[in-house]
Amino acid sequence: MKISKKIDDLRSLTYSLDACYVGFYFWIAGFSIRIGGTETEDQPYFYPYVVPTFIGFGFALPNYFSWHTPYLEAHLLKVID
């Protein structure tokens, strides 16, 4: 279980959701809880994405079934640093 307030850990949460790594994910602003998943693989390319909602949760199961809070439009994104 990983609990963090850093933006890099929020990137790891987004990466894990996108890649369907098994786990449970929860975030509020810059605070995140990740049970399962993996760290962001920045080699050879930097992973630039962060969940674009203020609050949400998601999960991924071993059979590649996943769900997460629906994202807002990109122009509504407010990055919290």
Side-chain angles (χ1 to χ4, degrees), residues 2 7-21 24-28 31-40 47 49-51 56-58 68 71:
K2 176 100 174 173
I7 198 74
D8 283 341
D9 291 324
L10 203 53
R11 279 188 328 111
S12 292
L13 180 145
T14 308
Y15 175 75
S16 295
L17 268 174
D18 285 348
C20 289
Y21 282 104
F24 175 79
Y25 311 96
F26 176 76
W27 63 92
I28 297 178
F31 174 77
S32 65
I33 297 175
R34 180 173 48 113
I35 302 171
T38 186
E39 295 296 319
T40 306
Y47 187 79
Y49 304 108
V50 178
V51 286
F57 71 95
H68 58 78
Y71 296 153

Side-chain angles (χ1 to χ4, degrees), residues 1 6 22 24 36-37 40 43 46 48 55 65 67 70 74 78 80:
M1 182 161 124
K6 295 192 296 188
V22 175
F24 175 79
T40 306
Q43 297 299 331
F46 179 76
I55 184 170
F65 177 78
W67 183 89
K78 184 176 183 180
I80 298 171

